[in-house]
């Protein structure tokens, strides 16, 4: 993808709307939509979050630049287990509400409510920020445990997603309850990628 498309995608990962992107880049909203269409086609993406995740995996964008300066990954601990599942699916696969509802066997309205709740609890402006927030959480977890670095790009496989969702949920809740448990969860993480 072109440098300009990367720029559009990076700004999108910061939660900007098409209108805000157009204003920031001094282009028309239609041009932003055209850039996004080209990005989706080139990356084989189905949504903004999916395009952002794919571009990150390919090394085209640096999501750490998309984190708000005051980002605190501990806010993710406020998510319910179901919200963590929805968050992870969006951050890793960029699926839409219908696909998430089918996978989790819940209604689309329930998914929409979970997404709204996640945005309120995390301060995300849009679901397109979830991949950056996820990366911030993984990096924070690595720093807190002092464990082997686990890269977010290693986790973007469907077979690992269910196990990873369980482990990340356990990790966040374990940080407060048992000082040895996070080290165990981190060790389990490392086993997934050997």
């Amino acid at each position: 993808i072109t440098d300009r498309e990367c720029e559009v995608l990076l700004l999108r990962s910061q939660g900007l709307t098409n209108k805000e992107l157009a204003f920031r880049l001094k282009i028309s909203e239609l041009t932003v939509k055209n850039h996004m269409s080209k990005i989706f086609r080139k990356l084989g993406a189905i949504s903004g979050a999916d395009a952002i995740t794919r571009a990150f995996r390919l090394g085209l964008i640096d999501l750490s630049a998309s984190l708000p300066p005051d980002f605190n990954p501990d806010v993710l601990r406020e998510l319910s287990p179901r919200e963590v599942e929805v968050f992870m699916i969006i951050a890793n696969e960029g699926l839409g509400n219908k696909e998430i509802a089918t996978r989790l066997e819940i209604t689309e309205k329930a998914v929409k409510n979970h997404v709204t709740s996640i945005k309120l609890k995390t301060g995300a402006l849009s679901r397109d920020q979830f991949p950056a927030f996820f990366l911030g959480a993984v990096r924070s977890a690595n720093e807190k445990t002092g464990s082997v670095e686990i890269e977010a790009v290693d986790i973007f496989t469907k077979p690992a997603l269910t196990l990873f969702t369980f482990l990340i949920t356990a990790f966040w809740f374990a940080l407060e309850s048992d000082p040895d448990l996070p080290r165990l969860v981190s060790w389990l993480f490392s086993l997934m990628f050997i």
Side-chain angles (χ1 to χ4, degrees), residues 35-105:
H35 282 310
M36 288 305 298
S37 292
K38 289 176 186 176
I39 292 166
F40 282 18
R41 188 176 60 254
K42 289 176 181 179
L43 296 177
I46 58 173
S47 69
D50 185 31
I52 291 162
T53 299
R54 289 171 186 254
F56 170 70
R57 276 190 238 153
L58 294 169
L60 300 173
I61 60 173
D62 178 11
L63 286 180
S64 58
S66 297
L67 286 171
D70 60 345
F71 175 71
N72 179 1
D74 292 339
V75 299
L76 296 177
R77 281 197 244 153
E78 296 177 22
L79 302 180
S80 71
R82 180 63 87 183
E83 289 168 344
V84 169
E85 285 181 289
V86 171
F87 173 81
M88 295 298 298
I89 290 170
I90 294 169
N92 290 306
E93 300 176 62
L95 295 183
N97 291 353
K98 184 177 181 178
E99 295 82 8
I100 295 169
T102 300
R103 178 175 300 171
L104 299 179
E105 298 177 349

Side-chain angles (χ1 to χ4, degrees), residues 73-85 121 141 144 165-183 185 189:
D74 292 339
V75 299
L76 296 177
R77 281 197 244 153
E78 296 177 22
L79 302 180
S80 71
R82 180 63 87 183
E83 289 168 344
V84 169
E85 285 181 289
K121 289 177 180 179
K144 287 182 180 182
T165 301
F166 165 75
L167 291 174
I168 196 77
T169 304
F171 178 81
W172 287 115
F173 290 114
L175 280 175
E176 291 182 348
S177 61
D178 183 348
D180 293 328
L181 198 51
R183 197 174 300 308
V185 173
F189 265 137

Side-chain angles (χ1 to χ4, degrees), residues 71 73 76 88 92 131-145 147-153 155 164 168 171-172 189:
F71 175 71
L76 296 177
M88 295 298 298
N92 290 306
F133 282 26
F134 170 67
L135 176 64
V138 169
R139 288 187 175 160
S140 175
N142 287 330
E143 290 169 7
K144 287 182 180 182
T145 62
S147 68
V148 174
E149 178 86 12
I150 299 167
E151 290 295 328
V153 292
I155 297 163
F164 179 75
I168 196 77
F171 178 81
W172 287 115
F189 265 137

